[in-house]
Amino acid sequence: YQRRVRGGLFLSMEGSSLDRFSARRMEEAQEELKKAQKALKTGLFKWSADYDAASRAFEAAATRFNALNMLAEAKDAFVQSAETKMKSDLPSAFFAAKHYESAAGCAQRHSEEVEAQDQKVRLVDEAAQLMLEAAQHFQNSNHMDRTIACYRNAARVCHEHRADRALMTYHKMALLCGACNTDKTALLVDYVRDSIGWVCGQHSFDVAIQLLDLHKAFCIQLGQSGALNRVCTATVLIYLVAGQGEAALESFNESGSMLSDFSESPEYEQLREVLEAMGSKNQGALDKAKEAASRFRSLDREVYHLAMGLTVDSAEIPNMGGTTFEEFTAGGNASGEVDLDTALEAPAPKAATVIGEDEDELC
């Protein structure tokens, strides 16, 4: 009985201690906000605001609000710290970027806590916008790796509630990745690869091809032959799912002629059987080719699902008049480049075969 009493007393003291700690943190946060406002005031004997002091005070307040899980207050304080720092005598874009990034994190966490759908979407939009603001400041401070990371994070925030904004952000991320120096390739390849599956799942095939082309270039630079084979395979399959048979055949021929590792790979042979079956409009042969395409299981799950949903009517493979597959593929594609902004618009494919969790691997 005495132990239980002591235990109860201990728990009561622990709760009281936490309450006192939270109250003290709240008082400290409010004091820091007062310091910030005082630093921004001007008067008869103070002609200019002390933005540096205000920025430090806002940062201290934001840290304390964040510890108390007062996310709205923490977000606002982080933003104010970034803004005042950029107005100071010694502005720092990198400092501001980190604080916009922290503010975005607060908005994202807040969106996960609220239940009202309209408020959730508003916070998601705010989190994405703050993350893009951080990206802009990281870019201004020549930290391109952090810039790309912010674009990737901004897109991820929007996956569930703002898919359209996520796709647009991935598109901009791809453009930035393409403009980066090759010394950043090892850092950027993960950002590009991780986004492909989700984009394919949204049936945004133009953005998917854009990302796959980037991933292909990165794999060539890094000498990743296994990943390169999967990227080449995924590219052809996405063209087929999008209904662009000529582009699929052109991509297959181009990759096979330029990349010896791909032309000698099992992926190449299995992909060739799929193309041959689709070109001859033989659904039975296509079903057998898909069932035998064991290497397709190493692709991203969404790409694999789309590939397993292919039928002979999914795309028109141009028959160049040959009777063998070598003659069939020798002619290539004479139609020129494909306009990815318009050519890849296609209705959603039929439901694909579901695979197990253990077969999930990024292409």
Side-chain angles (χ1 to χ4, degrees), residues 216 220 228 252-263:
K216 179 179 179 181
I220 292 174
L228 180 60
F252 178 79
N253 288 333
E254 180 182 347
S255 296
S257 62
M258 296 179 60
L259 305 170
S260 59
D261 287 343
F262 176 60
S263 62

Side-chain angles (χ1 to χ4, degrees), residues 56-203:
R56 290 192 298 270
F58 279 129
E59 179 185 23
T63 302
R64 286 161 175 78
F65 282 133
N66 197 28
L68 294 170
N69 204 39
M70 298 176 65
L71 300 176
E73 293 81 358
K75 176 200 66 181
D76 292 341
F78 275 126
V79 170
Q80 288 174 307
S81 179
E83 291 174 347
T84 50
K85 183 60 178 178
M86 292 305 295
K87 294 177 181 179
S88 68
D89 294 334
L90 297 172
S92 171
F94 184 77
F95 177 95
K98 291 195 297 182
H99 281 49
Y100 278 120
E101 198 173 23
S102 297
C106 292
Q108 181 182 1
R109 286 161 53 201
H110 196 183
S111 72
E112 295 169 355
E113 294 181 357
V114 300
E115 296 182 359
Q117 185 66 19
D118 56 342
Q119 188 178 4
K120 189 182 290 289
V121 172
R122 180 182 62 78
L123 287 167
V124 164
D125 279 335
E126 188 174 10
Q129 186 58 44
L130 288 168
M131 194 64 75
L132 293 178
E133 191 72 32
Q136 183 61 55
H137 282 78
F138 276 130
Q139 187 173 6
N140 293 340
S141 61
N142 296 321
H143 289 82
M144 288 303 297
D145 52 337
R146 299 288 294 270
T147 301
I148 303 299
C150 284
Y151 269 90
R152 188 271 308 269
N153 293 337
R156 283 185 170 181
V157 168
C158 298
H159 276 189
E160 185 175 354
H161 300 286
R162 286 297 306 274
D164 54 341
R165 183 166 188 163
L167 291 170
M168 178 184 67
T169 306
Y170 277 130
H171 170 68
K172 292 181 178 179
M173 184 192 79
L175 295 177
L176 281 173
C177 286
C180 286
N181 296 329
T182 56
D183 60 346
K184 301 292 186 182
T185 297
L187 296 172
L188 302 182
V189 64
D190 290 339
Y191 301 149
V192 173
R193 182 192 61 203
D194 293 348
S195 62
I196 291 172
W198 185 85
V199 171
C200 290
Q202 299 298 309
H203 298 161

